[in-house]
Amino acid sequence: LELEGGRWGVIASIRTFDLMVGQDFARLFRGVPPDPSFVDQRFQSVRHLRIPEWSDAEFDELLSKIPALRIAVDNGGSKLAELARVPFNTRLLADLLSSGVAPEKFKDLASQIQLLDMYWNERVRPLGAVAEQCLRSTVNAMIERGRMEASRIAAGAGTANILDQLQQASVLISANGDRDVAFRHHILFDY
């Protein structure tokens, strides 16, 4: 970041909460936000773009293009509609629907925790206890390493091919030329 001539451009994704409590992040990315339309007012001296919830027009277009998502949101009512406006949650809902979860199953879904529970029950639990053991090894390896990535060897230690199955289920993704693995999204790590 300190190199002359601006040779490096760093793009990072971070949750608002982590930016509020992680002063090092604010220091590393200090500067003027590049687009006033996408500014979080709490971070005036941090170069950032705030990713907003879907606008009404965007959300309507999305629902018109994915009928199963519209049915799920209609079944879930206002709580699910509010939840689905957050792009990450929309992705989880779409993933669940595309993997065969019936739109009617979202009827009582009213919180992100319930959505993550449903995702976990559909993507991890069917793989058995060994999948949860593999994920525990993955998290422990990440903590030991102090990074949000674990080596494939440490992550999959003693769990046979379950690491590959967790990647096929989109819970984990490959990183660093397939030498490491990471959670597809940091909220899955937190969960």
Side-chain angles (χ1 to χ4, degrees), residues 50-68:
R50 182 184 62 83
I51 307 299
E53 294 181 357
W54 300 111
S55 69
D56 288 341
E58 290 170 329
F59 196 59
D60 287 341
E61 181 180 350
L62 187 66
L63 294 177
S64 73
K65 290 183 177 187
I66 308 172

Side-chain angles (χ1 to χ4, degrees), residues 24 59 76 96 117 123:
D24 288 340
F59 196 59
L96 289 167
D117 282 344
R123 295 290 174 102

Side-chain angles (χ1 to χ4, degrees), residues 117-183:
D117 282 344
M118 181 181 275
Y119 185 86
W120 195 266
N121 287 333
E122 292 293 324
R123 295 290 174 102
V124 177
R125 290 236 162 80
L127 300 175
V130 71
E132 291 180 308
Q133 290 167 349
C134 180
L135 291 172
R136 179 176 294 272
S137 295
T138 302
V139 168
N140 288 338
M142 289 174 173
I143 291 168
E144 248 179 63
R145 204 176 195 192
R147 292 176 41 194
M148 293 297 291
E149 298 160 344
S151 76
R152 287 183 61 79
I153 294 168
T159 58
N161 69 343
I162 202 70
L163 183 68
D164 296 329
Q165 291 177 43
L166 286 164
Q167 286 182 268
Q168 289 169 354
S170 293
V171 175
L172 297 173
I173 58 170
S174 291
N176 301 319
D178 210 28
R179 291 185 311 271
D180 296 331
V181 294
F183 282 89

Side-chain angles (χ1 to χ4, degrees), residues 65-79:
K65 290 183 177 187
I66 308 172
L69 183 59
R70 177 177 294 284
I71 294 167
V73 168
D74 288 347
N75 279 323
S78 62
K79 290 280 189 185

Side-chain angles (χ1 to χ4, degrees), residues 3 10 12 15-16 23 58 74 84 92 104 151 167 185 188:
L3 292 176
V10 177
R15 292 179 301 182
T16 303
Q23 297 304 309
E58 290 170 329
D74 288 347
L92 289 181
E104 297 76 21
S151 76
Q167 286 182 268
H185 195 283
L188 295 175

